[in-house]
Amino acid sequence: MTDAGDTKSAAAQLMPEVLERLETLVRIPSVAFPGFDPEPVHRMGAAVVELFEAAGASGVKLLDVPDGYPCVYADLPGPEGSPTVLLYAHYDVQPAAESQGWSTEPFEPVTKDDGRIYGRGAADDKSGLVIHYGTLKLLGPDRPCRVKILVEGEEETISHLEAFVEANPELFAADAYVIADIGPQRVGRPGLTTALRGDVACTVTVRTLANPVHSGMFGGAAPDAMTAMIRILDSLHDEHGDTVIPGVDSGQWSGADMEEDVYREGSAILPGVEFLGTGSLSDRIWAKPSVTVLGMDLPNTTEASNVLLPSVTAKLSMRIVPGTDADAQLDALMTHLRAQRPWNCEVEVEKVKTGHPFAVDSSHPAIVAAEEALEAAYGAPVESIGSGASIPLVASLQKVAPGSAIVLWGAEDTAQSRIHASDESVDPGEIERMIAAQTLFIRGLAAAEQA
């Protein structure tokens, strides 16, 4: 990496322009969830096209994705015989409800005294967009390899991109995919994500009565659905908090450790509240399954009345460990739920989705090049870390190009970014270092292929 110093210097000089463009993007409330105004999402798609055109890319366009928002796409030529690198990010963001407790307006970027830029999407994933922008600017028109751009418009909600990618493999084939939608444990510490837990989901409905009845007249013998649901959900964890479901696999983490202070800071666990489960902290969040109740159809406390509930529905998500089959793991969860019938209640379980887990081939030349680029950009050893998050597109990319590498990195540090939550933020220094790292990676990969 003989040009590491020059590349880092060039990235630093570019930062005022990069941050100005990031702030412009954050101001667009591109929430793609059903029920939200679609106009800002389409406006954001057009803004991303303009962003990459300003970076020197030609032929940038919006592609219609059936049943979903369009994706931004470009195919930029490189020298004959050079590898192809696809840069991925997404332009939609999570909602930012007032109930989350924002201290500033979520769609008005604010730089606070800590130097971080606050706003919805500042980290997830508009930081990824400007990292790609900066990378293209530094590479210039004489790119050392072919570069494709793919920016999704509905990653945060029910994505339709996976089917579109699999139906058009020639558009998205590449030797390496760079997904800038994740980050290190802490600012200034280079982290390469080498495993993702998968995410499977289902609903469970419990019925005990034909209709609501008076809790005073009938409570005590007639079982209400909520009490039955509590019993069913309690069966998913043991007394230690470990997820214990027959047929659901567990593992151990062999990479860098998740540090407790980083995890406590990022997870917002209250003082004195204990962790769930057993094993190392890294095992629990990167290599073992975990079940979460995402929501439940119930009266709220304001509307609650003195009745026994006849039916209750809950939506469950289960993170599954790398190396497992998502369909088999979901089937094990659903089979377990159907077998739980307190007081012989009726139980109905329905599939919602499957998202497959992923593990990196650390010996792949592109992964080796990515580690070298990170170390050069940060001036520090690279940590091999996992993620409890899921990126369903990864499985589709593997189908399109089975022998390709998938590089997972970005500027979303675990400790402070607070993605999906109030006061989401990004550290500009992480964006700068990642622009340098991506540029060095592409140059290094191209050079290795030509050697």
Side-chain angles (χ1 to χ4, degrees), residues 159-385:
S159 172
H160 298 84
L161 185 62
E162 291 88 63
F164 183 67
V165 166
E166 292 177 28
N168 299 276
E170 71 287 350
L171 289 178
F172 306 105
D175 298 291
Y177 298 94
V178 178
I179 298 179
D181 187 21
I182 208 158
Q185 291 197 53
R186 277 199 185 279
V187 166
R189 286 170 45 180
L192 185 64
T193 299
T194 57
L196 299 171
R197 287 194 296 186
D199 181 19
V200 300
C202 65
T203 59
V204 54
T205 299
V206 177
R207 299 183 183 90
T208 57
L209 308 170
N211 51 264
V213 296
H214 193 289
S215 62
M217 295 178 64
F218 299 102
D224 72 296
M226 185 60 209
T227 301
M229 177 68 79
I230 290 170
R231 297 290 290 270
I232 292 172
L233 298 180
D234 185 57
S235 72
L236 300 173
H237 299 88
D238 65 14
E239 67 274 18
H240 305 294
D242 283 312
T243 297
V244 285
I245 300 167
V248 172
D249 297 325
S250 187
Q252 289 184 309
W253 181 251
S254 59
D257 291 333
M258 166 57 76
E259 296 181 8
E260 182 173 333
D261 61 339
V262 171
Y263 184 76
R264 280 199 173 272
E265 184 176 354
S267 64
I269 294 177
L270 294 175
V273 175
E274 298 178 353
F275 293 149
L276 290 176
T278 57
S280 73
L281 188 54
S282 301
D283 289 344
R284 289 181 243 187
I285 62 172
W286 295 335
K288 296 179 74 172
S290 64
V291 176
T292 303
V293 181
L294 300 180
M296 203 176 299
D297 293 335
L298 290 170
N300 60 45
T301 55
T302 302
E303 298 173 348
S305 59
N306 290 326
V307 297
L308 303 180
L309 298 178
S311 68
V312 171
T313 298
K315 182 178 181 181
L316 276 62
S317 165
M318 183 171 69
R319 302 290 172 163
I320 58 176
V321 305
T324 59
D325 178 81
D327 294 306
Q329 300 296 284
L330 178 58
D331 183 65
L333 171 62
M334 294 174 66
T335 297
H336 173 80
L337 291 168
R338 292 188 181 108
Q340 310 307 305
R341 298 186 60 193
W343 306 294
N344 204 31
C345 64
E346 296 180 3
V347 177
E348 179 181 346
V349 184
E350 295 184 350
K351 173 183 175 178
V352 174
K353 69 170 185 177
T354 54
H356 295 273
F358 170 71
V360 164
D361 175 6
S362 298
S363 66
H364 195 289
I367 299 301
V368 174
E371 291 177 344
E372 292 175 350
L374 270 179
E375 184 165 354
Y378 280 77
V382 178
E383 296 178 338
S384 174
I385 57 177

